[in-house]
Amino acid sequence: MFHMILDFTLVGRRTRQLTVCVLLVTFSLLTNSDAFLARTDSAQLQRYIKATVDDNYDLAVIGGGIVGVQAALLAAQGKNGNKKKVILIDAPRASAMLMNEGTGEDLSLGAPSGLFSKALRDTGKRIKVSTLRGMGLREDSVWNEIINSCVDLAHSNADDMRRQLSQAGVTVMEGFARFSDSGETDRIVVHPDATSVFDDSVQVDVVPAKNILIATGSKPFRPLNIPFDGKRIFDSDSINALKFLPKSIAITGSGIVAMEFAKIFRNLGAEVTLIIRDQVPRNALMKVGLDKDVSAMLVADLMRSGIRIQKGAQVKSFSVPPEASENIRAPIKIYLEANGGGALPTGTPTELSCDIYLAAVGRTPNTAGLNLQGAGIDVDRYGGVLVDDCLQTTQPNVYAAGDVVGRPFLASTGVAQAQAALSRILGVDSPQCDVSDPTCVQNGMGQAGNSFDPASLASNPFAFPTGVWTSPEAAFYGLSTTQAKALGVDASEGMALYAECLRGRVFSPNGLLKLVFDRKTGRVLGVHICGDDACELIHYGMEIVKGRKTINDLVGSVYSAVTFHELYKIAAEAALDEDGARKRRAAAGKALAARNRQVRDQQSA
């Protein structure tokens, strides 16, 4: 039975596809659906109403991703006994998420959009493709083993989300939610399916709600010159519909998502080429906040893994085998040119051949089909919903949270935004913080309260930790040395290599941990990590910064043996003895390089 995936952004999360039997059908629905609403005013709409939901909900949440589900649960469970009547409206098929076609079950309920890539990443660590191939297993059997592992993870998560929603008393409705063209925002029009938007006689449900939270996520940016087909040429969402294990892949992008997928497919045994416009690969990572040494280590790891980086280049055109070709591995031809157009330098490859191509070049808010204009809700030039510091839109009873309001496109900040919105809806005061504390996150650094609107998040490095699920992982919280100096702080660094602690030396020597501190007070202002478990380790670093701990505090602390947390003490000691630390790192680095060479020689033998 086929899973019909619609390129349709009425409601839902970031577009995600994960299924074995996939029929990719792209509809240009938005223009037609907006035309339908344009000729459907409040009076006319009455002709098409199938039913008006009897319950008048306190909150209607549009979108069933991690932000929408967590918001629905928080509101239904309430604070201080202040429970609300909540309905969650989701369109899993419109958002191209994972469906169990045998049961009709939405397996993506409550999941972050990056769930598939994280599952694929960890599966690649557990399943050795080279071993399975060496055992004589067929390629489709190897791929099915990988995909089934990812599906099992999604099924487990969706089951638990469904249980929690039921226990909390949240009503879940599947359908395509839109605002009517009448400008009313105290009700939501819910279409039964995507194609019904075309039909003037469509019957719809109308859901009355005192407050509405938009949590429809984002979708990948698709350059017009790339012929996406969902079979051989993918974006960072549609890659989930891949039906075979590729032996080679070309990826355009130099950011976090591109590097995540580059390592994922390399670990699955594919030859990987990363096409980036910049001549310096680490620049894009530094632009999103990663420390220069962390960025350099990630790039070095890519190259050490055998990933080829094509610098200063962009894709000019494609030659894709016809769909009728029975050979799914008939190579795609990709023709390259210099960044901005023109010829590449002499000696630089101008043509690539690969099984599949992936564009990972950014995301855009998923709002095009919601008819926000008709509801009087303002958006920015990228389609992101404009909100104030309480996540309130230009309509007082409508709020928005998560990717739909724009950067930073993180599940953690999306949930925090939903909590901030609910504080206003539920009438709960946000906790205040000390105005003299630079880690306070209200309206930028140094002011009171807790703001999670995009502008405040972008301006405050103390608002949230950032984890990068590359392999190895990277994470950071607080200030970099450059940021601290720009603020007038006499800042310095203390750094420890993973190879300097026992656990790192024995199990995972490639990595580093850096502390940024104020020379005058010794206070730690930032933590930057690259290596195994970085996304876990950063939360201890966050508490060090928020707790105003100093370098001396860390030196005087005792940590459990054979743990990565020992790196905090080693980095603090390095801050107090820079010359000695530099020599120790050089010796450890030299030993590590020799070890890496030995491993490569053994693998190539």
Side-chain angles (χ1 to χ4, degrees), residues 191-494:
H191 293 258
D193 55 61
T195 55
S196 68
V197 179
F198 284 122
D199 190 351
D200 283 2
S201 62
V202 64
Q203 289 188 317
V204 298
D205 287 305
V206 175
V207 178
K210 297 175 184 176
N211 296 284
I212 296 168
L213 177 69
I214 303 170
T216 51
S218 65
K219 58 185 177 181
F221 173 70
R222 285 189 160 196
L224 296 177
N225 67 321
I226 298 177
F228 296 99
D229 60 11
K231 297 177 181 179
R232 306 289 298 280
I233 300 181
F234 302 91
D235 60 36
S236 56
D237 282 357
S238 62
I239 189 67
N240 302 345
L242 179 62
K243 294 191 288 184
F244 65 96
L245 179 61
K247 292 184 177 179
S248 59
I249 176 175
I251 302 174
T252 290
S254 56
I256 291 169
V257 175
M259 291 196 174
E260 283 183 5
F261 276 107
K263 282 303 298 282
I264 285 170
F265 282 103
R266 184 61 185 146
N267 289 339
L268 292 175
E271 295 295 323
V272 180
T273 300
L274 194 60
I275 305 167
I276 67 173
R277 294 184 175 184
D278 206 306
Q279 288 288 352
V280 182
R282 69 179 184 179
N283 282 351
L285 297 175
M286 291 172 64
K287 288 177 182 177
V288 299
L290 288 177
D291 172 80
K292 58 181 175 59
D293 293 319
V294 170
S295 300
M297 177 163 279
L298 285 176
V299 173
D301 179 77
L302 293 178
M303 300 176 71
R304 187 168 54 245
S305 301
I307 293 171
R308 176 185 173 190
I309 301 178
Q310 187 77 47
K311 298 179 288 188
Q314 64 186 30
V315 176
K316 181 179 181 181
S317 61
F318 296 81
S319 176
V320 184
E323 290 187 23
S325 173
E326 295 182 359
N327 182 10
I328 61 172
R329 295 193 186 278
I332 298 171
K333 298 286 187 182
I334 299 175
Y335 303 97
L336 304 177
E337 62 182 357
N339 181 21
L344 287 165
T346 303
T348 303
T350 59
E351 179 182 322
L352 299 175
S353 294
C354 56
D355 287 345
I356 63 171
Y357 169 84
L358 167 65
V361 289
R363 303 190 69 86
T364 58
N366 201 13
T367 58
L370 290 169
N371 191 33
L372 298 180
Q373 182 178 5
I377 298 171
D378 292 344
V379 298
D380 62 24
R381 59 176 177 159
Y382 301 107
V385 180
L386 292 176
V387 293
D388 63 12
D389 59 1
C390 293
L391 285 303
Q392 191 174 44
T393 71
T394 47
Q395 289 288 358
N397 71 318
V398 180
Y399 297 77
D403 288 6
V404 76
V405 301
R407 292 181 182 278
F409 295 124
L410 297 173
S412 56
T413 55
V415 173
Q417 288 170 337
Q419 291 173 330
L422 290 175
S423 293
R424 172 65 67 87
I425 294 171
L426 299 175
V428 178
D429 291 335
S430 298
Q432 301 296 301
C433 52
D434 184 355
V435 295
S436 65
D437 184 355
T439 65
C440 200
V441 298
Q442 170 75 19
N443 297 326
M445 195 180 305
Q447 297 183 30
N450 287 275
S451 288
F452 293 96
D453 60 284
S456 295
L457 290 175
S459 66
N460 198 322
F462 299 110
F464 58 93
T466 297
V468 180
W469 292 93
T470 46
S471 179
E473 297 172 9
F476 64 93
Y477 178 80
L479 298 174
S480 67
T481 305
T482 301
Q483 289 172 323
K485 289 182 176 179
L487 292 172
V489 177
D490 181 15
S492 189
E493 302 173 347

Side-chain angles (χ1 to χ4, degrees), residues 31-49:
T31 301
N32 293 289
S33 59
D34 287 341
F36 168 77
L37 283 179
R39 61 179 181 269
T40 308
D41 59 22
S42 182
Q44 283 182 295
L45 185 61
Q46 300 302 320
R47 295 169 47 200
Y48 310 122
I49 293 177

